[in-house]
Amino acid sequence: MEIYKADRTNVEAASEIFDLYRQFYGQPTNINACTNFLSERFEKKDSRFFIALSFEGKPLGFIQLYPSFSSVAMKTMWYLNDLFVVQSARRKGVASALLEHVKAYAKENNSFSLKLATAIDNGAAKTLYEKHGFVKVTAFDHYVFRTDTE
């Protein structure tokens, strides 16, 4: 398996697996919208999209980070917003390899932290994240204001 940071030169492979991810979450397939969305991310450089490929060049999974900042630490933080592995590659170390890759990326770039959220009932993901050194934050209550509900 090879993991690399995707950019506009390989937006097709990234869009293919991103579309599968969205379908996993109940969204209809829309490869054109995925390509446009990721092309914009790559152009604006407002996310980091790492893709895992098999030795045959087939997409196995991806992880996407979005930047934020810690004002107190005066450093970049990363939100691990998306992690997906295709069904046929699950339980074969792809998610672990992707997590290790972005942990190294964050350290190499002198980042303050990697943050993520997962569903309360997603025991498998929680186990995976904790295995890789992520700890549950209990010091803060997190809130969200959704603009699409009013």
Side-chain angles (χ1 to χ4, degrees), residues 3-146:
I3 298 174
Y4 67 91
K5 188 172 92 168
D7 59 27
R8 65 177 184 230
T9 63
N10 34 41
V11 69
E12 292 82 18
S15 298
E16 176 186 324
I17 197 161
F18 189 67
D19 191 46
L20 292 174
Y21 166 73
R22 294 183 69 256
Q23 289 175 57
F24 178 81
Y25 282 103
Q27 299 300 307
T29 185
N30 190 335
I31 196 73
N32 291 334
C34 289
T35 300
N36 291 339
F37 179 80
L38 291 179
S39 292
E40 185 175 352
R41 301 289 67 73
F42 298 155
E43 182 67 30
K44 292 182 176 183
K45 297 182 173 147
D46 59 9
S47 83
R48 303 299 182 273
F49 193 101
F50 298 92
I51 190 166
L53 295 179
S54 70
F55 293 116
E56 296 80 31
K58 295 184 193 285
L60 301 173
F62 78 90
I63 198 165
Q64 185 165 214
L65 306 177
Y66 289 100
S68 186
F69 300 92
S70 168
S71 298
V72 174
M74 294 187 295
K75 290 186 174 186
T76 303
M77 299 184 315
W78 294 99
Y79 281 97
L80 192 167
N81 201 69
D82 311 304
L83 171 60
F84 177 73
V85 176
V86 296
Q87 183 69 39
S88 62
R90 292 189 185 152
R91 301 207 178 275
K92 296 182 179 175
V94 176
S96 288
L98 285 163
L99 285 168
E100 289 301 314
H101 191 86
V102 297
K103 285 168 45 182
Y105 177 82
K107 286 178 183 178
E108 289 165 10
N109 288 281
N110 197 29
S111 303
F112 179 65
S113 65
L114 280 171
K115 291 185 174 188
L116 62 87
T118 193
I120 291 169
D121 63 353
N122 192 345
K126 289 179 180 184
T127 299
L128 175 70
Y129 297 136
E130 289 170 8
K131 174 183 165 190
H132 286 275
F134 288 82
V135 294
K136 184 176 180 180
V137 175
T138 58
F140 301 96
D141 286 331
H142 293 266
Y143 295 87
V144 65
F145 173 78
R146 292 203 38 184

